[in-house]
Amino acid sequence: MLSLPDFLLATILLFLFAVAVPILPALATISEASTWQETLRAMVLPAVTLAIMMAVYAIRVLRDSLIEVLRSDYVRLAELKGLRPTAVLFRHALPNAIVPALNVTALNLGFLIGGVVIVERVFSYPGFGTLLIDALQLRDIPLIKATVMISAVVYVAANLVADVLAVLLQPRLRTSR
């Protein structure tokens, strides 16, 4: 899944759930007259596509980090103390292993903004990516500046949240020397 481009995943999901088994709409067209159920059905495929693309990276990093943490001395000590395996995993290993996954997720937000443009084009969804592309095609400089600024603020805020969560989850980051 790491090597699968987002437009190909979107096309595969579109074929599976809109053509082969038509349970979701092929186009994510939303109007002001749409009910919230229609809007939700139209947003399922684009949201699932983007969620899969983001989750693949985070899961891979979490897996590698968890393997490394489970081999550490403090996890072995917790196991030797007689703690249950679920307690060792959720109390000792996972809080230390989840920090790199949080950082990767925050850093991949830039990829997500670029991926939104492509996924919106595949599903004909009028969203933030379409707004940015239309502004670029029309050479609307104020709108380009606004969308880039919003993207930058979201990217910086996500990295700030990831860093704060890293400090909250890892006690050794809270101590100052």
Side-chain angles (χ1 to χ4, degrees):
M1 290 298 288
L2 283 172
S3 62
L4 191 67
D6 47 3
F7 69 89
L8 184 60
L9 178 64
T11 306
I12 291 170
L13 290 175
L14 187 65
F15 176 75
L16 287 175
F17 296 109
V19 177
V21 183
I23 56 175
L24 294 171
L27 299 177
T29 53
I30 297 171
S31 66
E32 292 181 16
S34 299
T35 64
W36 68 271
Q37 293 96 347
E38 293 170 346
T39 304
L40 186 65
R41 284 190 71 229
M43 290 176 52
V44 167
L45 281 177
V48 167
T49 302
L50 293 172
I52 289 172
M53 294 306 295
M54 288 297 292
V56 168
Y57 293 104
I59 290 170
R60 176 68 188 257
V61 170
L62 180 63
R63 176 191 172 274
D64 293 342
S65 179
L66 198 55
I67 288 171
E68 182 180 330
V69 167
L70 286 173
R71 293 180 183 157
S72 63
D73 292 337
Y74 64 90
V75 171
R76 280 193 226 132
L77 180 65
E79 290 170 347
L80 291 173
K81 284 182 177 181
L83 292 176
R84 294 185 317 250
T86 56
V88 171
L89 180 67
F90 288 112
R91 182 130 192 243
H92 296 286
L94 195 59
N96 290 311
I98 204 165
V99 173
L102 288 173
N103 289 333
V104 165
T105 302
L107 291 174
N108 277 339
L109 197 59
F111 167 77
L112 181 65
I113 292 169
V116 163
V117 174
I118 296 169
V119 171
E120 285 178 1
R121 288 294 178 176
V122 170
F123 292 108
S124 299
Y125 182 76
F128 188 76
T130 305
L131 177 70
L132 179 60
I133 294 296
D134 291 344
L136 288 168
Q137 289 174 344
L138 296 173
R139 292 185 173 86
D140 188 357
I141 302 299
L143 187 57
I144 293 170
K145 287 180 181 179
T147 54
V148 169
M149 183 63 75
I150 290 170
S151 301
V153 166
V154 168
Y155 186 75
V156 169
N159 282 297
L160 178 67
V161 168
D163 289 341
V164 168
L165 285 174
V167 169
L168 292 175
L169 289 173
Q170 285 191 335
R172 62 186 159 162
L173 294 178
R174 284 184 246 154
T175 60
S176 62
R177 293 182 182 195

